Amino acid sequence: MRETVIRTDDGTVAMINVLDVEPERQQELAEVLSEGAEKHIRHRPGCVSVNILCSNDGKRLIYFAQWRSKAHIKATMSDPDCQIYRDKAAELARPDAHAYSVFAVHHPEPDTLG
């Protein structure tokens, strides 16, 4: 099983896009972004993972993608096949995307997992 792993020392760049969406459109937005990730994004050079999280109140969606470098993100965003899904998402929601580096990761002690 492949998993998304978040580390402070692996050199990856996280692209996090928080999209504000009307609750009745959240499912459609998730499907559009998931289709784009499946058909194009995950096959792009430098892609480590794509994760789509839907808020329980239906008002937000978080698109969390990990990349090997900012250059890989830039190249992907200039790909016309990928732009189609970005534009579809922008029609459904208000995006706010930024690149991030991991500063810290904290885990509970094993005996508190419980």
Side-chain angles (χ1 to χ4, degrees):
M1 172 201 257
R2 297 186 67 174
E3 298 177 336
T4 296
V5 177
I6 300 173
R7 293 190 176 103
T8 59
D9 58 356
D10 66 0
T12 61
V13 177
M15 174 57 72
I16 301 174
N17 193 351
V18 179
L19 297 106
D20 291 320
V21 62
E22 294 298 322
E24 64 273 6
R25 313 268 339 243
Q26 186 192 57
Q27 180 70 32
E28 181 182 3
L29 176 62
E31 290 171 1
V32 163
L33 291 171
S34 186
E35 179 181 316
E38 181 62 28
K39 288 184 176 179
H40 301 288
I41 302 294
R42 73 183 191 97
H43 303 288
R44 295 285 306 175
C47 180
V48 175
S49 70
V50 177
N51 302 271
I52 298 169
L53 296 85
C54 295
S55 68
N56 292 337
D57 64 5
K59 295 179 181 179
R60 283 182 197 78
L61 181 144
I62 296 176
Y63 187 92
F64 174 76
Q66 290 177 298
W67 294 90
R68 296 274 175 233
S69 71
K70 286 184 183 180
H72 287 111
I73 295 170
K74 187 175 180 178
T76 298
M77 293 301 100
S78 66
D79 180 330
D81 289 331
C82 298
Q83 289 175 354
I84 291 169
Y85 292 94
R86 181 197 63 204
D87 294 345
K88 285 181 182 179
E91 291 173 9
L92 295 168
R94 191 175 74 242
D96 186 19
H98 300 277
Y100 295 85
S101 297
V102 178
F103 177 77
V105 176
H106 303 274
H107 298 282
E109 294 295 324
D111 61 337
T112 63
L113 295 176

